[in-house]
């Protein structure tokens, strides 16, 4: 029972970490007023490092959680961008456009706005996050 609770807590924590990273990614995206899919790579690296230092022992579970957190960040920023477009076109606030459009429409709009090149960036970032989380953390030596 304890291992199930621990894994569930790790999954929820990875989801929250991914959503926070997606919100952080949203700031430069909104500022530039265009999609910045290449930012997925540094974000995947950052999430991979965070999960690697957080999950003990680093390994397969850490890699899966890092890729999941990166996927959550990618999905969240794309949904927020779709809501921001709706808000700008219809003169609504962001929260009003999120509420009015609903999750299904926002997911469809996010899917329509992504190009195959964007998908390559996103998949590469999930792979990078998993690779970084899979490697063991550097242990400082006695003289460091």
């Amino acid at each position: 029972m304890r291992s199930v609770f621990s894994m569930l807590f790790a999954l929820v924590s990875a989801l929250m970490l991914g959503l926070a990273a997606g919100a952080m990614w949203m700031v430069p995206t909104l500022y530039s007023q265009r999609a910045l899919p290449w930012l997925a790579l540094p974000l995947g690296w950052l999430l991979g490092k965070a999960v690697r230092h957080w999950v003990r022992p680093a390994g397969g579970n850490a890699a899966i959680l890092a890729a999941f957190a990166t996927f959550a960040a990618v999905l969240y920023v794309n949904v927020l961008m779709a809501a921001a477009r709706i808000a700008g076109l219809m003169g609504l606030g962001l929260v009003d456009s999120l509420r009015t459009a609903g999750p299904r429409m926002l997911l469809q709009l996010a899917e329509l706005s992504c190009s195959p090149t964007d998908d390559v960036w996103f998949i590469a970032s999930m792979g990078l996050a998993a690779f970084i989380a899979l490697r063991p953390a550097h242990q400082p030596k006695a003289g460091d």
Side-chain angles (χ1 to χ4, degrees), residues 39-138:
L39 278 177
L41 281 179
L43 190 81
W45 177 80
L46 184 66
L47 287 171
K49 283 192 72 76
V51 171
R52 179 179 71 190
H53 290 291
W54 160 50
V55 174
R56 296 286 183 233
N61 288 341
I64 291 169
L65 287 172
F68 175 70
T70 307
F71 175 75
V74 165
L75 185 65
Y76 190 56
V77 77
N78 284 316
V79 166
L80 285 178
M81 277 300 293
R85 284 189 191 104
I86 291 172
L89 291 172
M90 301 192 74
L92 298 171
L94 184 62
V95 174
D96 290 334
S97 68
L98 283 167
R99 193 175 309 132
T100 302
R104 290 184 63 190
M105 182 178 185
L106 290 172
L107 284 172
Q108 288 176 346
L109 289 172
E111 182 182 347
L112 287 173
S113 69
C114 287
S115 69
T117 307
D118 295 347
D119 292 339
V120 170
W121 284 107
F122 301 150
I123 291 169
S125 69
M126 288 188 289
L128 179 65
F131 176 73
I132 295 294
L134 192 60
R135 295 180 21 192
H138 171 69

